[in-house]
Amino acid sequence: MKRERRDPLHLATDHRQLQLKGKRQEMFPVFAKRQTTAHIGVTALTETGARYRQIARKLGVAAVMTLTFLASAELTARVEEWLLWDTPLSATPDSRRDLTIHDALGIRGRPNGQFKKWHLNSYGFRNGPMSLLPKPGVTRIMVLGASETFGYSERDGKEYPARFGARLESFGSYEVVNAAMTGLDLPHIRHLWDMWGVRFKPAIVVVYPTPSFYLSDRPPRRPERRATAPEGPAWPKPRLLGALTDRFDFPAFVQRLRVARSVAAARASHPPDWPFRTVPTDRLGQFTDDLAGLLDSIRAAGAEPILITHAIGFHNPPQPEEADKLASWVAISPRATADVLLQFEEATAEASRRLALEQGIRLVDLADHMDGDPRWFAEDYDHFSEEGADLVASLLADAIVKDNLAPRK
Amino acid sequence: MSLSQLSFLGFLVVTFMAWLPLGKTGRKTVLLVASAVFYGAWDVRFLAVLAFVWTIVLVVPQVVLRCGEQRTRRLLTGLGVALLLLALASLKYAGAFMAASGARVGAGVPPDAGILSRLVLPVGMSFYTFQAISYLVDTYRGVLAPSRSLLDTGLYVAFFPFLLAGPIQKAAAWLPQIEAFHSFRVVNVRNGGERMLLGYLLKTGIADPIAPLVDQVFRAVGSTGSGDLWAGMLLYSLQILADFAGYSLIARGVASCFGYEVQPNFEQPYFSRSFSEFWRRWHISLSTWLQQYLFTPLFKGFSTRLGSRHGVATDGDLQAAYASSAILTMLLAGAWHGAGLTFIAWGLYHGLALALERRYYGSRPIPKRIHLRGFAQGLRVLAQMLGTFLLVSFGWVVFRSDSLPAAASFFSRMMVFSNWTVNAAAIHWLVGGFAMLISVDLAQYMRRDEWAFRSVPRLARPVLYGAIAVHTFLYAGLGGNVAFIYAQF
């Protein structure tokens, strides 16, 4: 009983061990007491150690299982992308690197480039196989523009140039070449046309310019003609992160906060008069001049231009339910306020109409047909939905076929 | 809000956090409020219908309990059941009635539909109405005592995981669970999570990506080749099972997290070797409900009536009684799905199949467990399974078609045997989808339980979970939100 009182944790269960040491304890009681205490201490330490080892083992198992889960998830993501888009398992996809090259000819599509659902042909255009020169009897139509024309939201074959080509099939021998690339402003489009597009001898060139590039911090400028050093290999990146960001959006209230902080941060790093509070006439003038220059260059190459006015899904003035989307647009062009963005769209559409009238250029007034109708647009009210792409294709086909647009000799 | 949406998972987490720290009454209140929010998110008017069903469930058994006379008790219970069926029928079949009355009035003369035109069938009403009927009948029969608790009866009718598409719970099994207190247990959450993951795999990982392919085939039957039509039929068979079984698993998984356990709703139905076995494996909650509350009383009534001619029912009388009961039950099962003739025809098809099976193969039910004795028997079993699957799939074509002529056109073009090319995406999903489904079903069949993932060693399970989570939540759902098929019934 006494032993149990000294031993509340019943650590001294190794009674036999104590008995074996009994003689020594009898001879040296102090030593015995110290031995028992030491034994209890060692056993306590052993018990605690066992507990810690157990916890460490559980943590280790949990860590191994988590790593295994993540490794399996990463491998599955790679296999899924291989099945969906033919992306090689070991590749490190990057939209800029995989879809564009930047060389002496400017920024253009990478020959045989591929990124997720976007596939480019051997000339870096987003359409089927083609030859350098159009086949005899075939009218080649080249479409120039930025991501709206490239087909950022649409699957292969569903972007408006492809639909346009499909509609023309029943009216004769036409071939539509989608020479657009994401992020191209008018000076870059002009450079692409002069250095690259003109080689393909299109009879008709459709131009869909994006005005909002002219509201960025610096105005668009023609790229310098220089060769760039080839890029080194891409660092491996987990595909899982990309898939997560593609699939999930922030909740609306979080996105609002992010957008507001982004705009505030951009404006805070510039003087107070930096944001455009009215339509910048110099930028508008530059847009018009750049557009006129491009159209002149197209005509000089012997092609017939068709100009499309840029369309957006927003109303002017905007409706309350459009506030979040408009704020996201401002975050991309923080130098302009929401009102200036909308007014600039209207101003550039008007400038395009005037230019087309003055120069006798065929105009497809998309802004008039589509502005303010969300049906035609993807979530961002800038890129087209599949219905919108269909409508654009239909309007373009009408312009070609009904107006009997013949190529200039 | 649907169980397959991300917002539902957020809703579930918030509900669980609110439920966790409370006692018995508090927990039930949280679940009831959550159910009201969940259902009201679809349409706040639906809550009125739910309240009506709840009132019937609360009041009628109490009134019946206080009646001494058996005849009055039967009358009152019948009245309660009739009110529920009337509400269901009027909301479910109002559209069909309008269309029919319009045809009688004549072209160009629209009927004055008035209030009928404003009626909308509340989502899931077919399910919780049947659940309420089960309660009324079981309390009348004395199988269980009626509850006087607002919370218990409310939760019995409106437990949110089961609101949209069941499983339909039997009162005798479900009410005691509602009345009991359920403590938080990690094992419940783990089991629930596993069910939900498997459910999402079936629904989002298999059924949703298949849906556009199936829609494409059924929308353009006239211009689709035989190969694509056969593929479309098989894909729909896969889609409807994966969709509904997936939903049931998600619903059961959510219920498990709160400590409620209900029986499986599907048990490898495409492993069936006959129609009668199919109905013991498919939508088990509905088939057992139909058997208990419709088929058995009908069979007893018919066999008694027929037998009274000879004094005792002969084999012929029993077969006739069985056939009549089966056909009538399956006709009503078809009508339960909707007012369209296609559903009625589908029900009739299954009813006739059951009657013919009984006539030619006798009354001994085929056991669910297969004991193979040799290769020849294995081949025979496989042939039976494939044959039953094919016949059931033919029925799905009728079920899915917009009209009987459309179904007839589908079958006639299938049998033309020309243009056997099949869409590459359809082949991909036929092979991959059936491979996934058969793997899950085989694992469950071999284990004799529903824990398919536990066939994999514990340390290797993270590999499986990682693959399923990525496929289901990141890639397979790229087509967008697809509604649950059975939520429309």
Side-chain angles (χ1 to χ4, degrees):
Chain A
M1 284 302 290
K2 270 192 181 177
R3 194 171 289 160
E4 280 180 3
R5 273 200 215 121
R6 280 203 301 270
D7 181 19
L9 298 179
H10 304 284
L11 293 175
T13 53
D14 200 355
H15 191 66
R16 201 160 149 249
Q17 192 178 0
L18 281 174
Q19 281 182 323
L20 287 172
K21 292 180 182 172
K23 274 194 182 173
R24 199 164 44 191
Q25 288 167 12
E26 282 173 21
M27 288 165 65
F28 303 100
V30 172
F31 180 71
K33 191 177 174 185
R34 212 178 288 156
Q35 273 275 9
T36 310
T37 311
H39 177 71
I40 290 170
V42 164
T43 311
L45 274 175
T46 309
E47 284 286 330
T48 310
R51 206 177 318 132
Y52 285 138
R53 276 199 298 279
Q54 197 179 22
I55 292 170
R57 192 168 50 243
K58 282 187 176 174
L59 282 174
V61 168
V64 166
M65 288 181 125
T66 305
L67 285 171
T68 312
F69 176 89
L70 291 173
S72 169
E74 174 64 21
L75 180 62
T76 307
R78 287 173 184 259
V79 169
E80 289 276 358
E81 291 185 5
W82 173 61
L83 288 171
L84 278 170
W85 302 311
D86 288 327
T87 308
L89 289 174
S90 57
T92 304
D94 179 274
S95 61
R96 193 183 56 82
R97 199 183 260 276
D98 294 340
L99 291 179
T100 61
I101 54 173
H102 189 180
D103 58 13
L105 300 176
I107 300 174
R108 56 195 174 91
R110 181 176 290 278
N112 300 308
Q114 180 203 319
F115 178 76
K116 291 190 179 171
K117 64 186 175 191
W118 300 289
H119 293 81
L120 306 181
N121 67 11
S122 57
Y123 291 106
F125 301 133
R126 193 183 180 192
N127 48 270
M130 57 184 274
S131 52
L132 179 64
L133 296 175
K135 295 193 173 76
V138 174
T139 305
R140 179 171 277 176
I141 303 172
M142 181 170 278
V143 187
L144 299 173
S147 53
E148 301 95 326
T149 302
F150 180 74
Y152 183 75
S153 311
E154 301 93 307
R155 296 164 284 153
D156 268 356
K158 300 296 179 188
E159 66 278 13
Y160 84 75
R163 292 173 187 260
F164 174 34
R167 279 180 181 267
L168 288 177
E169 271 172 18
S170 49
F171 295 104
S173 297
Y174 292 93
E175 179 192 32
V176 176
V177 175
N178 186 350
M181 183 44 62
T182 59
L184 289 191
D185 50 39
L186 273 171
H188 281 82
I189 292 174
R190 168 84 187 268
H191 187 81
L192 177 69
W193 164 253
D194 289 343
M195 303 303 295
W196 182 238
V198 68
R199 300 181 189 198
F200 296 90
K201 302 265 188 279
I204 299 166
V205 178
V206 176
V207 177
Y208 186 60
T210 306
S212 58
F213 288 126
Y214 286 80
L215 295 173
S216 50
D217 186 23
R218 294 197 183 145
R221 217 173 275 172
R222 187 145 177 165
E224 292 168 10
R225 288 175 60 176
R226 58 179 174 83
T228 53
E231 293 185 42
W235 282 103
K237 274 190 307 191
R239 304 266 193 97
L240 194 57
L241 281 175
L244 279 166
T245 50
D246 282 348
R247 184 74 178 88
F248 297 115
D249 295 324
F250 289 103
F253 70 95
V254 172
Q255 184 61 13
R256 248 176 253 135
L257 280 169
R258 293 180 75 236
V259 159
R261 282 179 65 179
S262 160
V263 171
R267 290 179 180 171
S269 59
H270 291 90
D273 61 348
W274 177 76
F276 296 127
R277 303 212 184 268
T278 56
V279 170
T281 48
D282 56 331
R283 300 287 181 98
L284 180 61
Q286 187 184 342
F287 171 86
T288 312
D289 291 342
D290 290 343
L291 184 57
L294 172 62
L295 296 172
D296 287 342
S297 179
I298 291 169
R299 276 181 151 166
E304 184 73 32
I306 297 179
L307 179 59
I308 312 178
T309 53
H310 191 261
I312 51 175
F314 297 101
H315 293 85
N316 192 12
Q319 293 179 349
E321 60 269 20
E322 295 171 353
D324 285 345
K325 292 188 203 296
L326 202 47
S328 297
W329 195 15
V330 171
I332 297 169
S333 305
R335 193 163 182 190
T337 60
D339 289 338
V340 166
L341 281 170
L342 296 173
Q343 287 160 13
F344 195 76
E345 286 281 330
E346 284 186 354
T348 51
E350 196 48 48
S352 302
R353 292 179 193 116
R354 224 176 7 251
L355 189 63
L357 192 64
E358 284 165 8
Q359 298 201 7
I361 289 169
R362 177 67 49 196
L363 180 78
V364 174
D365 200 344
L366 212 61
D368 186 50
H369 274 94
M370 293 169 96
D371 264 2
D373 193 339
R375 278 183 294 164
W376 311 125
F377 297 95
E379 285 285 318
D380 61 3
Y381 279 16
D382 175 40
H383 297 87
F384 299 117
S385 62
E386 298 219 348
E387 292 85 357
D390 212 41
L391 178 61
V392 178
S394 152
L395 292 169
L396 278 172
D398 286 349
I400 299 285
V401 172
K402 284 184 181 171
D403 297 334
N404 204 16
L405 206 64
R408 276 189 182 177
K409 297 281 183 249
Chain B
M1 199 193 317
S2 165
L3 299 200
S4 63
Q5 289 173 327
L6 265 183
S7 53
F8 173 75
L9 293 175
F11 166 83
L12 180 62
V13 168
V14 168
T15 305
F16 192 79
M17 290 294 126
W19 172 90
L20 198 56
L22 300 175
K24 186 175 171 183
T25 308
R27 285 182 171 185
K28 289 183 192 179
T29 309
V30 163
L31 288 176
L32 196 59
V33 168
S35 301
V37 168
F38 177 80
Y39 204 48
W42 281 83
D43 190 325
V44 82
R45 295 174 296 176
F46 292 175
L47 292 174
V49 177
L50 201 58
F52 169 75
V53 174
W54 182 8
T55 308
I56 302 276
V57 160
L58 184 64
V59 168
V60 169
Q62 295 301 324
V63 173
V64 166
L65 190 66
R66 281 152 181 76
C67 284
E69 218 180 283
Q70 176 64 13
R71 195 160 166 266
T72 315
R73 286 158 51 89
R74 195 184 322 144
L75 204 67
L76 285 169
T77 304
L79 183 65
V81 171
L83 280 173
L84 289 170
L85 288 175
L86 187 66
L88 177 64
S90 56
L91 291 171
K92 202 173 180 91
Y93 303 114
F97 172 74
M98 278 167 58
S101 62
R104 272 207 307 279
V105 170
V109 183
D112 182 16
I115 192 169
L116 284 179
S117 67
R118 293 194 290 276
L119 291 176
V120 171
L121 175 66
V123 65
M125 188 182 177
S126 306
F127 294 89
Y128 58 76
T129 303
F130 270 33
Q131 201 160 291
I133 292 173
S134 163
Y135 180 80
L136 293 184
V137 173
D138 282 359
T139 49
Y140 162 74
R141 286 176 180 172
V143 174
L144 80 164
S147 171
R148 296 174 64 177
S149 162
L150 279 174
L151 279 178
D152 290 346
T153 48
L155 217 47
Y156 174 85
V157 172
F159 187 52
F160 71 89
F162 303 153
L163 262 177
L164 301 187
I168 302 169
Q169 298 308 308
K170 299 266 196 30
W174 184 225
L175 188 67
Q177 285 206 63
I178 294 286
E179 288 171 336
F181 172 72
H182 298 273
S183 54
F184 167 73
R185 295 176 67 203
V186 172
V187 66
N188 289 342
V189 176
R190 194 191 78 187
N191 289 345
E194 224 174 290
R195 283 184 180 130
M196 287 173 71
L197 186 64
L198 181 56
Y200 281 117
L201 172 65
L202 293 177
K203 163 62 177 161
T204 320
I206 299 177
D208 284 359
I210 289 174
L213 298 171
V214 171
D215 288 345
Q216 199 177 338
V217 167
F218 278 86
R219 208 183 304 132
V221 171
S223 54
T224 308
S226 314
D228 279 324
L229 288 173
W230 278 91
M233 178 186 79
L234 296 174
L235 282 174
Y236 185 65
S237 301
L238 178 61
Q239 181 198 358
I240 194 168
L241 172 60
D243 190 281
F244 197 11
Y247 173 88
S248 296
L249 278 166
I250 297 169
R252 290 178 61 226
V254 170
S256 294
C257 293
F258 295 101
Y260 299 95
E261 286 297 323
V262 298
Q263 66 167 15
N265 211 13
F266 293 86
E267 278 184 24
Q268 307 92 46
Y270 291 154
F271 284 8
S272 305
R273 287 166 287 158
S274 67
F275 275 77
S276 52
E277 189 184 356
F278 177 78
W279 281 102
R280 284 184 289 137
R281 292 176 179 274
W282 176 274
H283 200 175
I284 296 168
S285 64
L286 176 67
S287 60
T288 50
W289 191 99
L290 288 171
Q291 185 187 39
Q292 191 170 338
Y293 298 107
L294 199 58
F295 175 80
T296 305
L298 280 173
F299 180 69
K300 280 184 183 165
F302 282 137
S303 50
T304 306
R305 191 172 274 258
L306 289 170
S308 64
R309 296 178 306 177
H310 314 293
V312 66
T314 60
D315 272 350
D317 291 335
L318 290 173
Q319 277 190 11
Y322 181 92
S324 311
S325 310
I327 290 169
L328 204 57
T329 301
M330 292 314 298
L331 271 175
L332 290 171
W336 176 85
H337 285 86
L341 281 176
T342 51
F343 299 120
I344 309 287
W346 171 82
L348 182 62
Y349 173 71
H350 275 263
L352 286 170
L354 288 168
L356 286 170
E357 267 180 18
R358 170 70 182 244
R359 169 79 175 84
Y360 290 104
Y361 297 110
S363 61
R364 199 175 57 192
I366 298 174
K368 281 185 184 177
R369 300 300 304 174
I370 303 165
H371 301 284
L372 292 178
R373 292 185 207 91
F375 183 69
Q377 198 201 10
L379 277 182
R380 191 160 63 95
V381 164
L382 188 62
Q384 285 172 334
M385 284 183 182
L386 288 174
T388 305
F389 171 70
L390 207 58
L391 290 172
V392 166
S393 297
F394 289 149
W396 289 136
V397 170
V398 179
F399 188 88
R400 174 64 175 77
S401 297
D402 292 330
S403 64
L404 289 179
S409 171
F410 194 108
F411 285 124
S412 62
R413 287 190 65 86
M414 263 174 76
M415 303 307 173
V416 161
F417 301 118
S418 69
N419 190 4
W420 281 103
T421 54
V422 180
N423 183 322
I427 297 176
H428 165 88
W429 277 108
L430 274 173
V431 172
F434 272 110
M436 279 193 271
L437 182 71
I438 291 171
S439 305
V440 168
D441 278 355
L442 258 180
Q444 290 174 332
Y445 185 82
M446 300 307 284
R447 285 184 57 86
R448 297 176 188 236
D449 64 28
E450 61 181 303
W451 307 111
F453 297 153
R454 297 179 193 178
S455 308
V456 176
R458 192 161 166 262
L459 288 177
R461 269 179 234 162
V463 175
L464 191 63
Y465 293 154
I468 291 173
V470 165
H471 170 72
T472 301
F473 296 113
L474 299 187
Y475 288 95
L478 285 175
N481 273 327
V482 179
F484 284 105
I485 294 175
Y486 261 74
Q488 65 184 303
F489 306 131

